[in-house]
Coordinates of all heavy atoms in Angstrom, one line a residue:
R1 N 29.5 58.9 50.9 CA 30.2 60.1 51.3 C 29.9 61.3 50.3 O 29.6 62.4 50.7 CB 31.7 59.8 51.3 CG 32.2 59.1 52.5 CD 33.7 59.3 52.6 NE 34.4 58.8 51.5 CZ 34.8 57.5 51.3 NH1 34.6 56.6 52.3 NH2 35.5 57.1 50.2
I2 N 30.0 61.0 49.0 CA 29.7 62.0 48.1 C 28.3 62.5 48.1 O 28.0 63.7 48.0 CB 30.1 61.5 46.7 CG1 31.7 61.3 46.6 CG2 29.7 62.5 45.6 CD1 32.2 60.7 45.3
S3 N 27.3 61.6 48.2 CA 25.9 61.9 48.2 C 25.6 62.8 49.4 O 24.9 63.8 49.3 CB 25.0 60.7 48.1 OG 25.3 60.0 46.9
C4 N 26.0 62.3 50.6 CA 25.8 63.0 51.8 C 26.4 64.4 51.8 O 25.8 65.4 52.3 CB 26.3 62.2 53.0 SG 25.3 60.8 53.4
A5 N 27.6 64.6 51.2 CA 28.2 65.8 51.1 C 27.4 66.8 50.3 O 27.3 68.0 50.6 CB 29.7 65.7 50.6
L6 N 26.9 66.3 49.2 CA 26.1 67.1 48.4 C 24.7 67.5 49.1 O 24.3 68.7 49.0 CB 25.8 66.4 47.0 CG 25.4 67.3 45.8 CD1 26.6 68.2 45.5 CD2 25.1 66.4 44.6
V7 N 24.1 66.6 49.7 CA 22.9 66.9 50.5 C 23.2 68.0 51.6 O 22.5 69.0 51.7 CB 22.3 65.6 51.2 CG1 21.2 66.0 52.2 CG2 21.8 64.7 50.1
D8 N 24.3 67.8 52.3 CA 24.7 68.7 53.3 C 25.0 70.1 52.8 O 24.6 71.1 53.4 CB 25.9 68.2 54.0 CG 26.1 68.7 55.4 OD1 25.1 69.0 56.1 OD2 27.2 68.9 55.8
K9 N 25.6 70.2 51.6 CA 25.9 71.5 51.0 C 24.8 72.2 50.4 O 24.6 73.4 50.5 CB 27.0 71.2 50.0 CG 27.4 72.5 49.2 CD 28.4 72.1 48.1 CE 28.8 73.3 47.3 NZ 29.8 73.0 46.2
L10 N 23.9 71.4 49.7 CA 22.9 72.1 48.9 C 21.4 72.1 49.4 O 20.6 72.9 49.0 CB 22.9 71.4 47.5 CG 24.1 71.6 46.7 CD1 24.0 70.8 45.4 CD2 24.5 73.0 46.5
W11 N 21.1 71.1 50.3 CA 19.7 71.1 50.8 C 19.4 72.2 51.7 O 20.2 72.3 52.8 CB 19.5 69.7 51.4 CG 18.0 69.5 51.7 CD1 17.5 69.3 53.0 CD2 16.9 69.4 50.8 NE1 16.1 69.1 52.9 CE2 15.7 69.2 51.6 CE3 16.8 69.5 49.4 CZ2 14.5 69.1 51.0 CZ3 15.5 69.4 48.9 CH2 14.4 69.2 49.7
P12 N 18.4 73.0 51.5 CA 18.1 74.1 52.4 C 17.9 73.6 53.8 O 17.1 72.7 54.1 CB 16.8 74.7 51.8 CG 16.8 74.3 50.4 CD 17.4 72.9 50.4
K13 N 18.5 74.3 54.8 CA 18.3 74.0 56.2 C 16.9 74.2 56.7 O 16.5 73.6 57.7 CB 19.3 74.8 57.0 CG 20.8 74.6 56.7 CD 21.2 73.1 56.9 CE 22.6 72.8 56.6 NZ 22.9 72.3 55.3
S14 N 16.2 75.0 56.0 CA 14.8 75.3 56.3 C 13.8 74.2 55.8 O 12.6 74.2 56.2 CB 14.3 76.7 55.8 OG 14.5 76.7 54.3
S15 N 14.3 73.3 54.9 CA 13.5 72.3 54.4 C 13.5 71.1 55.3 O 14.3 71.0 56.2 CB 14.0 71.8 53.0 OG 13.9 72.9 52.1
P16 N 12.5 70.1 55.1 CA 12.5 68.9 56.0 C 13.8 68.2 56.1 O 14.5 68.0 55.0 CB 11.4 68.1 55.4 CG 10.5 69.1 54.6 CD 11.4 70.1 54.2
V17 N 14.2 67.7 57.2 CA 15.4 67.0 57.4 C 15.3 65.7 56.6 O 14.4 64.9 56.8 CB 15.7 66.7 58.9 CG1 17.0 65.8 59.0 CG2 15.9 68.0 59.6
P18 N 16.2 65.4 55.7 CA 16.1 64.2 54.9 C 16.6 63.0 55.6 O 17.3 63.1 56.6 CB 17.0 64.4 53.7 CG 18.0 65.4 54.2 CD 17.4 66.2 55.2
I19 N 16.2 61.8 55.1 CA 16.7 60.5 55.7 C 17.6 59.8 54.7 O 17.3 59.8 53.5 CB 15.6 59.6 56.0 CG1 14.7 60.2 57.1 CG2 16.1 58.2 56.5 CD1 13.4 59.4 57.3
V20 N 18.8 59.3 55.1 CA 19.7 58.6 54.3 C 19.6 57.1 54.6 O 20.0 56.7 55.7 CB 21.2 59.1 54.5 CG1 22.1 58.3 53.6 CG2 21.3 60.6 54.2
S21 N 19.1 56.3 53.7 CA 18.9 54.9 53.9 C 19.8 54.1 53.0 O 20.2 54.6 51.9 CB 17.4 54.5 53.8 OG 17.0 54.6 52.5
S22 N 20.0 52.8 53.3 CA 20.7 51.9 52.5 C 20.5 50.5 53.0 O 20.3 50.2 54.2 CB 22.1 52.3 52.4 OG 22.8 51.5 51.4
F23 N 20.6 49.5 52.0 CA 20.7 48.1 52.4 C 22.1 47.8 52.8 O 22.3 46.7 53.4 CB 20.3 47.2 51.2 CG 18.9 47.2 50.8 CD1 18.3 47.9 49.8 CD2 18.0 46.3 51.5 CE1 17.0 47.9 49.5 CE2 16.6 46.2 51.2 CZ 16.1 47.0 50.2
K24 N 23.0 48.6 52.4 CA 24.5 48.3 52.6 C 25.0 48.9 53.9 O 25.0 50.1 54.1 CB 25.3 48.9 51.4 CG 24.8 48.4 50.1 CD 25.1 46.9 49.9 CE 24.7 46.4 48.5 NZ 24.9 44.9 48.3
A25 N 25.4 48.0 54.8 CA 26.0 48.5 56.1 C 27.2 49.4 55.8 O 27.4 50.4 56.5 CB 26.4 47.3 56.9
K26 N 28.0 49.1 54.8 CA 29.2 50.0 54.5 C 28.8 51.4 54.2 O 29.5 52.3 54.5 CB 30.0 49.3 53.4 CG 30.9 48.1 53.9 CD 31.7 47.7 52.7 CE 32.6 46.5 53.1 NZ 33.4 46.0 52.0
S27 N 27.7 51.5 53.5 CA 27.2 52.8 53.1 C 26.7 53.6 54.3 O 27.0 54.8 54.5 CB 26.1 52.7 52.1 OG 26.6 52.2 50.8
L28 N 26.0 52.9 55.2 CA 25.5 53.6 56.4 C 26.6 53.9 57.3 O 26.6 55.0 57.9 CB 24.5 52.7 57.1 CG 23.2 52.4 56.4 CD1 22.3 51.4 57.1 CD2 22.4 53.7 56.2
E29 N 27.6 53.1 57.4 CA 28.8 53.4 58.2 C 29.6 54.6 57.7 O 30.0 55.4 58.5 CB 29.7 52.1 58.3 CG 29.2 51.0 59.1 CD 29.9 49.7 58.8 OE1 30.8 49.6 57.9 OE2 29.6 48.7 59.5
A30 N 29.7 54.7 56.4 CA 30.4 55.8 55.8 C 29.6 57.1 56.0 O 30.2 58.1 56.2 CB 30.6 55.6 54.3
A31 N 28.3 57.0 55.8 CA 27.4 58.2 56.1 C 27.5 58.6 57.5 O 27.6 59.9 57.8 CB 26.0 57.9 55.8
K32 N 27.6 57.7 58.4 CA 27.7 58.1 59.9 C 29.1 58.7 60.1 O 29.2 59.7 60.8 CB 27.6 56.8 60.7 CG 27.8 57.1 62.2 CD 27.7 55.8 63.0 CE 28.0 56.1 64.5 NZ 27.9 54.8 65.3
A33 N 30.1 58.2 59.5 CA 31.5 58.7 59.7 C 31.7 60.1 59.1 O 32.4 60.9 59.7 CB 32.5 57.8 59.1
S34 N 31.0 60.4 58.0 CA 31.3 61.6 57.3 C 30.2 62.7 57.6 O 30.6 63.9 57.6 CB 31.4 61.4 55.8 OG 30.1 61.0 55.3
H35 N 29.0 62.3 57.8 CA 27.9 63.2 58.0 C 26.9 62.7 59.1 O 25.8 62.4 58.8 CB 27.2 63.5 56.7 CG 28.0 64.2 55.7 ND1 28.9 63.5 54.9 CD2 28.2 65.5 55.4 CE1 29.5 64.4 54.1 NE2 29.1 65.6 54.4
A36 N 27.4 62.5 60.3 CA 26.7 61.9 61.4 C 25.4 62.6 61.7 O 24.4 61.9 62.2 CB 27.5 61.8 62.6

């Protein structure tokens, strides 16, 4: 949640769309819930 929020806030929209990956299903679920 915290990492995705920072990416969403600070990463320029004109830059390449980043990918958020993880081995942890809970992390991917949280990323989906907060920054789908």
Side-chain angles (χ1 to χ4, degrees):
R1 282 196 303 268
I2 292 175
S3 298
C4 286
L6 204 60
V7 170
D8 202 35
K9 177 183 177 183
L10 298 178
W11 187 244
K13 299 298 183 263
S14 58
S15 294
V17 177
I19 299 170
V20 180
S21 66
S22 187
F23 285 100
K24 304 294 186 181
K26 284 184 179 179
S27 293
L28 293 174
E29 289 165 356
K32 179 183 176 182
S34 66
H35 294 84

